[in-house]
Amino acid sequence: MLHVITLFTVSDHEDAFIRSLRMNGDWQTLARRMAPDLIATDLLRHQLSPLYVCHDFWTTPEAYFRALHSPTMKSLFLARRQMASACFELGAFQFPALTNSVASPAAASSG
């Protein structure tokens, strides 16, 4: 799974931004229809300011990168950015894979 984190500042039309991006909102519904590999989008608001963290969940990194090159999804990502007064994508993240170089607690205590 791939997690894409984007920060948005919304100064005008905050209610419309929330309605569109929240679960079953217009943007999310359309994006999931155009890119079925988009599992979900969560939207978190800062307690004291109109700063939002948008957390997109994608099935795979490949699915996200395909969406970035899709003309339809490019338009949807642009529309989402245009609903905000400022936008900054922190990036795409995955949980690190465990490797053999990471010792398990049992192995470390038996040595």
Side-chain angles (χ1 to χ4, degrees):
M1 182 180 301
L2 186 75
H3 304 261
V4 179
I5 309 295
T6 309
L7 296 176
F8 292 98
T9 301
V10 182
S11 54
D12 297 325
H13 312 292
E14 192 173 355
D15 287 340
F17 179 81
I18 294 167
R19 277 193 310 274
S20 184
L21 267 68
R22 71 177 178 195
M23 186 67 74
N24 299 318
D26 293 340
W27 187 92
Q28 188 182 66
T29 300
L30 188 55
R32 292 209 50 225
R33 191 174 303 135
M34 297 297 118
D37 291 318
L38 174 62
I39 298 167
T41 297
D42 281 341
L43 189 63
L44 304 169
R45 186 184 191 278
H46 189 276
Q47 291 183 353
L48 303 175
S49 66
L51 177 65
Y52 290 85
V53 172
C54 183
H55 184 178
D56 295 328
F57 298 84
W58 291 85
T59 56
T60 64
E62 296 80 19
Y64 172 63
F65 293 114
R66 273 194 312 272
L68 286 179
H69 293 86
S70 156
T72 303
M73 287 305 296
K74 281 182 182 182
S75 296
L76 283 172
F77 287 134
L78 177 61
R80 185 167 74 173
R81 286 193 305 270
Q82 289 175 338
M83 286 189 272
S85 49
C87 169
F88 179 76
E89 185 174 305
L90 290 177
F93 300 86
Q94 285 185 292
F95 289 104
L98 293 177
T99 63
N100 292 338
S101 64
V102 178
S104 69
S109 64
S110 66

